[in-house]
Every structure is written in C-alpha cells, then in structure tokens.
Amino acid sequence: MAALRRITTCFRLLRSSTRVLISSGKPAGKWTHILYTGISSLTVGGALCAIPFKQADNLSRDSLVRRAASLVTDSSSTFLSQTTLALIDAITEYSKTVHTLISLQRRYLEALGRLSQVEEDKIWQVIIAQRSEVDDRQDECKRFESTWFIAVKLCETAAEAARTSGAEHASITVSTNIQMALTQVEEAQKLSKDADKKLIEIKVMEVERMAQHAASLQNDSDEEEVPDAYLRED
C-alpha cells in the first residue's frame, strides 16, 4: 500500500508539472526531458516491477534473445522432468495395484467350491475394493499422461525457438531431455501393459472357472433329484 501511495503521489506531481509547463508557454526542452525521464522511471518501477529488469547496454539484441531462449529451455526442461517423474510413479503404482488384484482373483479361483457363503462374500468385497483402486490409479495415470504430453510439446517448441535464435547448446540439451523422458516413460509403460495383459488372462480364467463351477453345481443338483419312476415298486 505504501508503494502504491508513492506511485500515486509521483503521478500527481508529474501531472502538475506538465500543466505548469504547458500554461507558461515557454520553451521546455530541458524540463520535458526531465519529465519524460521521470515518467519512464516511474513506469519501470511501478508497472513493470514483476518483470526482471537489468541494464545490459553491452549486450546485443541477439545475445539477449539467446539468453531468453536458454531460460525458456531450462524452465521447460524442469517442467518435463517433474511431469515425467510423476507419470512414472503413477504407472508404477497402477501396475502394483493390478498385480494385487490378479493375486486376489487367482486365490479366489483356487478356493472356489471350498468356501462358505460368508467367506465368499468377504473375498468379493476385497476384490471389488481392489478393482475400484485400480480404476482410481488408471485415472491418475491418464491425468499425469495428459500433462506430460503438454510438457513434451512445450520442450519441442522451446528447442525449436532456441535453435532459430542461435542458442544451439540449449536446443541440443532440451532435445536430449525429451528423448530421455520418452525412453523412461516407454519402459514404465511396458510394465503397465504387461500387468493389463495378465489381468485380461485372469478375467478369462475367472469366466471359465465360474462356468465350470456352475455346471458342477447343476450336475450335483441333478444327481440328488431322483425321478418318481425309480421310486415306484414293481
């Protein structure tokens, strides 16, 4: 608030000075220069305070552009690094959750037919909860993957900007970072694809075993029902 009051006061003083110069009708070359200098200083100090500003009279425009391009590649590389780590962690957790579900379903199928109704209900509650966890982890992977794609595109744009501005080293560095990120994510995705494949296999096995179990129960029921014709005496 204090800074804002100071800026407002300066503007009022400058406006008053302008009115005096205009009303006097006298040559105001020197005063006009001072007035413009004051306005420029106030503008830099007030309106552009959020932008890093540093005098660099000894640097050419090309040098300043190359510096800016290098800063962009550095920040975009940091963004890519963080999103890559987040995506890999999400994929790893998803794979672990899928393998846990596979283990639960395999144990259930192995014990099928030897469980009481209460035991079977409890196991199914655990399996359903684990399936919900798998869905949540999968949604998390999709969310981080979407952000990761944006980071890759951003780095590609930054690499191109650095190359065209003459910052070759910065362009090569960010391009290398992109390739490393792609390789790391690809390796992590192999684990999740393998887990998905095993999950499909266990689901097929579940359908087959459940069908066999239902058929077995039906056969047992048919054997227990003796037709009336066999119960009549000759």
Side-chain angles (χ1 to χ4, degrees):
M1 292 297 295
L4 181 60
R5 285 196 295 270
R6 287 197 297 271
I7 293 172
T8 304
T9 302
C10 289
F11 268 121
R12 288 175 179 173
L13 290 173
L14 290 172
R15 184 172 60 183
S16 299
S17 300
T18 304
R19 288 176 179 174
V20 171
L21 289 173
I22 294 173
S23 61
S24 64
K26 297 179 180 180
K30 177 180 178 181
W31 293 105
T32 303
H33 174 71
I34 294 174
L35 180 62
Y36 287 163
T37 303
I39 293 174
S40 300
S41 301
L42 183 61
T43 302
V44 171
L48 301 181
C49 59
I51 302 175
F53 186 84
K54 184 178 180 182
Q55 283 296 111
D57 296 335
N58 58 329
L59 294 178
S60 66
R61 292 296 181 187
D62 287 338
S63 298
L64 293 173
V65 170
R66 285 194 295 270
R67 280 192 175 188
S70 297
L71 290 174
V72 171
T73 56
D74 289 342
S75 59
S76 59
S77 293
T78 301
F79 182 41
L80 177 62
S81 175
Q82 294 302 318
T83 54
T84 300
L85 291 175
L87 178 57
I88 291 175
D89 287 344
I91 293 174
T92 301
E93 290 300 319
Y94 169 75
S95 300
K96 291 180 179 178
T97 307
V98 171
H99 282 294
T100 301
L101 176 59
I102 292 172
S103 178
L104 288 172
Q105 292 192 217
R106 181 174 287 113
R107 290 181 182 179
Y108 167 72
L109 294 177
E110 291 174 351
L112 191 62
R114 303 193 303 270
L115 298 172
S116 65
Q117 188 61 44
V118 175
E119 292 173 333
E120 188 169 348
D121 290 341
K122 288 182 178 179
I123 292 176
W124 267 110
Q125 289 178 2
V126 175
I127 291 176
I128 291 172
Q130 190 64 25
R131 286 178 176 175
S132 177
E133 179 71 14
V134 168
D135 292 338
D136 291 341
R137 294 295 183 182
Q138 191 175 44
D139 291 340
E140 186 179 51
C141 286
K142 292 179 180 178
R143 179 166 56 87
F144 280 122
E145 187 177 36
S146 177
T147 306
W148 179 76
F149 277 130
I150 295 174
V152 172
K153 294 297 182 182
L154 180 62
C155 283
E156 290 175 347
T157 303
E160 178 63 19
R163 186 186 64 80
T164 56
S165 63
E168 292 293 339
H169 178 70
S171 178
I172 293 172
T173 299
V174 73
S175 297
T176 302
N177 292 338
I178 292 173
Q179 292 302 318
M180 289 178 60
L182 292 173
T183 301
Q184 292 172 351
V185 170
E186 184 178 359
E187 290 297 322
Q189 287 176 336
K190 288 180 180 179
L191 298 177
S192 65
K193 289 179 180 178
D194 180 66
D196 288 337
K197 181 180 178 181
K198 291 181 179 179
L199 182 60
I200 293 174
E201 292 174 353
I202 198 66
K203 286 182 178 179
V204 172
M205 183 185 300
E206 178 184 352
V207 172
E208 294 175 350
R209 291 293 301 274
M210 293 296 290
Q212 293 173 0
H213 181 62
S216 177
L217 292 177
Q218 183 63 38
N219 292 333
D220 293 342
S221 176
D222 292 341
E223 291 178 359
E224 290 177 358
E225 294 178 0
V226 181
D228 294 340
Y230 292 99
L231 295 177
R232 293 198 301 265
E233 294 182 358
D234 293 340

